[in-house]
Amino acid sequence: MCGIVGYVGEREAQPVLINCLKRLEYRGYDSCGIALLGGRTEVYKDAGRIEELEKVLQSNESRTGIGHTRWATHGKPSEVNAHPHTDCSGKVAVVHNGVIENFLHLKEQLTNEGHTFRSETDTEVIPHLIEKYYQGNLEQAVTRALGDIAGTYAFIAIHADCKELVVARKDSPLIVGIGDKEYFVASDAPAVLDYTDRVMYLEDGDIVVITKNDIKITSNGKQVARPECRVPWSIEEAQKAGYDHFMLKEIHEQPRVIRNTYAGYISTIEPEINLEIKRAVDFDNILILACGTSYHAALVGKHVIQRLTHIPVNVDIASEFNYSDTVVGKTLVIIITQSGETADSIKSLKKAKELSCHTLVITNVVGSSATRIADDVLYIKAGPEISVAATKSFIAQLIMLYLFALARASVDVRSRGSLIAELRQLPNKVHEILDREGEIAERGKYLAEYENAFFIARGINFPVALEGALKVKEIAYIHAEGYPAGELKHGPFALLTPNTPVVAITTRDNTYETLLANIKEIKARESPVIAVAEEGDEEIEKYVDFVIRVPRVDPIFSPVVNTVALHLLAYYTAKERGCSIDMPRNLAKSVTVE
Ligand code: AGP
């Protein structure tokens, strides 16, 4: 959470910082600020979005500066709690992403030594520690300050008497963008794409001193080099391209994303899957760990892998695995994380490694923290996902899990061939749903009138019900619960009234007849029912109030088409309610705190 940026070079720093911050706003957007180096350190802050900050800026020709967009962890969103934070002299300024765990102790100590604190944040101890240790060399002061700090951080410090950025990283992502006589620092690569696609990914423990002509990276007291990489995304991919919201654009990108994800793995001549994880690894069971939407993909993956390979699969929420005594044997641990930076997922990955499991990360972000820890990586190639609500990355995660399972499928060759053929048809099937967007928008307007809803399904689509409910909560601020249809009568039935709509996913697989019976029970309680039903299913019309149609596919692929419909439903529900769709309140795209 939180986005940090830094610039040193020959351009005016202020517009560069603002531009980069706008690209990082998805990481946090409750307040923001910048600091510019000149004869002194100039700080501008606002308790709102970056466009508000722009209104209070004054012209400034500084060529060096830092910026921050915040997702509050310590202290409410306010101007005083916004970064950059400064020391007593006002010469040191710091932007920080992470959590300083021992800040209360440090604050007390520094206060006793005469330092005055203004904010409620953990971050503010950093500039004060730097002030305490500064004797004319900022790098040395930062290094000594780091000796006192416990916690996670990616921070950039500046000092009015120095013309450099000093940067430090531990457990929070940070990249350096390389230009011609200029360097950029940012929480992730898309932030700097307007200026350069040449980046270095910093490692935990790195301390970096950057001037416009030079960069020096130190780790454990020794100078080190980090390889330069090209960012595989273009700036156009990170823009809205005429859509009202990134979320809608990203939903519309899904046919292309599905092709991108399977391209390279499916041979066009002979329908085979060519997906081997790098190192030969002997496993007899799989454990998948993830958070949020990625967790829902994991739950679908469990059904798919078990059905096609008969390998036992368990799924755990990453943050819960971190406290569990899960017994692992010859276990392949798969971590699914769009960003590759989610703190809970990274911690579970490290724990799996400690337990000597072979680890595989399925992620979207090249060079992200998870990719540098795991034994193996599979990239979903969804392109940058800017909207906080994950959509295309979920669909791409599903495609990768289908590929993974098909590559190991114990079904006969003919069945595998026809499943692969059907997988290749999914982009067209998704197009068919997008063509019906208008009808789904109408259903969204209907759902928007309610404050509570249930999403139900059975079997492989139960995780899709969870996902539909999560999206409606996240972007439309409607309280929604995803339930296995069979569980509803074990308690939640008490909540069914004419004001509690139920969205039922009614794929015609082995769950269909029982689900129809469940819908009848729900209708007997007068709750309105919206069904997500296959083309050609006329029967369903008799039992429900509205039908959202999806194309017929093999039931194993039904989570793809059903989810696209539910993501559109959530989008239009949120739009009708006038919500901030791409940046929902209190949320951030990558959750880098536990
Ligand atoms: C979904 O719309 C979310 N915003 C959220 O649940 C997300 O999927 C979760 O935080 C996990 O993120 P990751 O895939 O980047 O690890």
Side-chain angles (χ1 to χ4, degrees):
M1 348 278 269
C2 300
I4 67 171
V5 294
Y7 176 76
V8 55
E10 295 188 337
R11 305 172 201 246
E12 280 188 16
Q14 187 166 280
V16 174
L17 295 172
I18 293 295
N19 193 27
C20 294
L21 281 179
K22 283 181 178 166
R23 299 214 176 278
L24 283 180
E25 219 177 357
Y26 70 89
R27 298 179 67 89
Y29 33 83
D30 57 40
S31 52
C32 55
I34 62 169
L36 298 161
L37 274 187
R40 55 201 188 106
T41 307
E42 299 272 2
V43 177
Y44 304 95
K45 299 188 193 189
D46 195 88
R49 299 250 172 112
I50 291 152
E51 58 204 25
E52 299 302 318
L53 174 68
E54 279 181 289
K55 293 179 193 157
V56 302
L57 292 175
Q58 285 161 23
S59 93
N60 190 311
E61 292 183 357
S62 169
R63 265 57 180 161
T64 309
I66 56 178
H68 189 273
T69 177
R70 181 170 184 247
W71 186 86
T73 57
H74 294 71
K76 62 181 185 301
S78 66
E79 197 171 317
V80 77
N81 286 333
H83 299 215
H85 289 287
T86 50
D87 63 339
C88 297
S89 70
K91 287 187 165 187
V92 181
V94 169
V95 288
H96 165 230
N97 173 26
V99 175
I100 306 301
E101 284 158 12
N102 59 342
F103 84 100
L104 281 175
H105 166 73
L106 291 171
K107 197 167 175 173
E108 196 182 320
Q109 204 176 53
L110 288 159
T111 306
N112 290 339
E113 290 168 12
H115 292 258
T116 308
F117 286 81
R118 288 175 284 252
S119 78
E120 303 159 86
T121 66
D122 53 332
T123 301
E124 201 182 353
V125 297
I126 305 175
H128 286 278
L129 283 171
I130 293 172
E131 177 179 37
K132 172 176 166 178
Y133 293 124
Y134 184 77
Q135 288 176 338
N137 182 316
L138 183 57
E139 181 190 6
Q140 280 171 11
V142 166
T143 307
R144 288 192 67 190
L146 289 176
D148 291 353
I149 288 170
T152 61
Y153 49 80
F155 73 75
I156 315 174
I158 53 174
H159 192 294
D161 297 343
C162 313
K163 294 220 171 326
E164 62 197 19
L165 307 176
V166 177
V167 176
R169 172 198 157 134
K170 181 172 168 278
D171 294 329
S172 291
L174 211 49
I175 63 106
V176 176
I178 305 157
D180 182 21
K181 292 199 188 132
E182 61 182 354
Y183 288 97
F184 306 81
V185 181
S187 296
D188 75 18
V192 304
L193 272 180
D194 278 319
Y195 307 100
T196 182
D197 64 351
R198 296 166 55 206
V199 299
M200 277 186 264
Y201 296 94
L202 298 181
E203 300 282 351
D204 281 348
D206 284 355
I207 300 174
V208 190
V209 182
I210 311 176
T211 60
K212 73 172 184 175
N213 292 316
D214 195 30
I215 178 163
K216 185 185 87 178
I217 308 176
T218 313
S219 179
N220 288 323
K222 291 201 187 92
Q223 211 167 317
V224 292
R226 299 289 171 224
E228 185 183 317
C229 314
R230 294 270 172 187
V231 183
W233 297 338
S234 69
I235 190 67
E236 290 72 31
E237 284 181 287
Q239 285 167 345
K240 272 193 216 156
Y243 286 93
D244 285 350
H245 298 94
F246 278 111
M247 182 179 177
L248 191 60
K249 177 195 170 218
E250 287 158 7
I251 291 173
H252 277 261
E253 283 172 345
Q254 290 178 131
R256 181 166 53 83
V257 165
I258 294 173
R259 283 193 200 98
N260 277 355
T261 306
Y262 70 59
Y265 294 116
I266 301 180
S267 148
T268 42
I269 305 157
E270 191 188 356
E272 268 304 329
I273 303 281
N274 177 14
L275 187 147
E276 282 309 320
I277 49 180
K278 249 189 305 181
R279 291 167 220 182
V281 44
D282 182 23
F283 61 89
D284 58 18
N285 72 92
I286 295 173
L287 173 63
I288 315 182
L289 304 169
C291 305
T293 286
S294 296
Y295 170 69
H296 300 154
L299 291 174
V300 175
K302 174 185 164 95
H303 281 271
V304 172
I305 297 169
Q306 290 193 155
R307 196 171 297 175
L308 293 180
T309 71
H310 304 300
I311 301 169
V313 181
N314 284 305
V315 177
D316 211 346
I317 293 175
S319 57
E320 287 301 306
F321 172 72
N322 296 336
Y323 303 110
S324 77
D325 298 314
T326 310
V327 181
V328 286
K330 281 177 11 185
T331 307
L332 170 68
V333 174
I334 303 178
I335 314 289
I336 306 182
T337 166
Q338 183 283 132
S339 60
E341 301 294 351
T342 302
D344 291 321
S345 303
I346 302 276
K347 191 166 176 185
S348 71
L349 168 58
K350 288 180 179 165
K351 180 173 169 185
K353 289 203 75 163
E354 276 161 29
L355 293 169
S356 304
C357 297
H358 190 85
T359 53
L360 164 68
V361 161
I362 296 181
T363 187
N364 192 28
V365 182
V366 175
S368 55
S369 301
T371 66
R372 281 173 287 136
I373 302 168
D375 299 303
D376 271 304
V377 182
L378 289 172
Y379 288 108
I380 57 174
K381 298 187 193 132
E385 188 176 67
I386 309 294
S387 174
V388 165
T391 54
K392 62 176 180 173
S393 65
F394 175 79
I395 297 297
Q397 287 165 351
L398 294 191
I399 301 300
M400 188 54 82
L401 289 162
Y402 289 123
L403 294 170
F404 178 91
L406 282 165
R408 288 159 184 78
S410 51
V411 291
D412 65 72
V413 178
R414 250 183 70 207
S415 312
R416 181 158 60 168
S418 65
L419 284 173
I420 293 171
E422 185 145 359
L423 177 71
R424 292 162 66 102
Q425 283 308 309
L426 285 176
N428 299 337
K429 302 289 179 185
V430 171
H431 265 304
E432 286 178 39
I433 305 167
L434 297 176
D435 290 344
R436 296 217 183 90
E437 198 173 344
E439 291 163 35
I440 301 176
E442 288 307 309
R443 303 289 85 90
K445 283 184 190 159
Y446 172 79
L447 196 58
E449 288 167 22
Y450 296 90
E451 294 306 322
N452 298 287
F454 282 102
F455 285 67
I456 60 165
R458 283 174 176 263
I460 197 170
N461 279 296
F462 163 55
V464 176
L466 291 176
E467 174 60 11
L470 175 66
K471 283 296 176 288
V472 163
K473 278 187 273 229
E474 183 178 19
I475 62 165
Y477 311 150
I478 292 174
H479 174 234
E481 300 272 358
Y483 254 88
E487 273 295 293
L488 219 53
K489 56 187 169 299
H490 296 289
F493 251 49
L495 294 172
L496 292 184
T497 70
N499 285 323
T500 325
V502 177
V503 179
I505 304 164
T506 60
T507 300
R508 279 189 293 183
D509 57 7
N510 57 350
T511 67
Y512 183 72
E513 294 300 333
T514 334
L515 214 114
L516 279 192
N518 297 143
I519 290 175
K520 285 179 206 159
E521 293 153 10
I522 292 163
K523 283 307 302 172
R525 274 80 192 171
E526 296 183 16
S527 291
V529 177
I530 302 174
V532 178
E534 291 171 7
E535 277 301 324
D537 176 5
E538 304 307 333
E539 177 75 4
I540 194 74
E541 304 271 0
K542 296 183 202 155
Y543 307 105
V544 303
D545 301 273
F546 304 104
V547 181
I548 293 173
R549 290 289 173 189
V550 291
R552 185 161 170 68
V553 292
D554 185 291
I556 205 166
F557 296 121
S558 59
V560 173
V561 290
N562 292 333
T563 305
V564 175
L566 290 187
H567 281 169
L568 280 171
L569 180 69
Y571 173 81
Y572 282 105
T573 305
K575 193 167 182 200
E576 181 67 15
R577 288 167 72 98
C579 298
S580 166
I581 292 180
D582 284 333
M583 292 186 239
R585 72 180 170 219
N586 302 337
L587 298 181
K589 183 71 180 165
S590 43
V591 185
T592 55
V593 291
E594 279 179 58

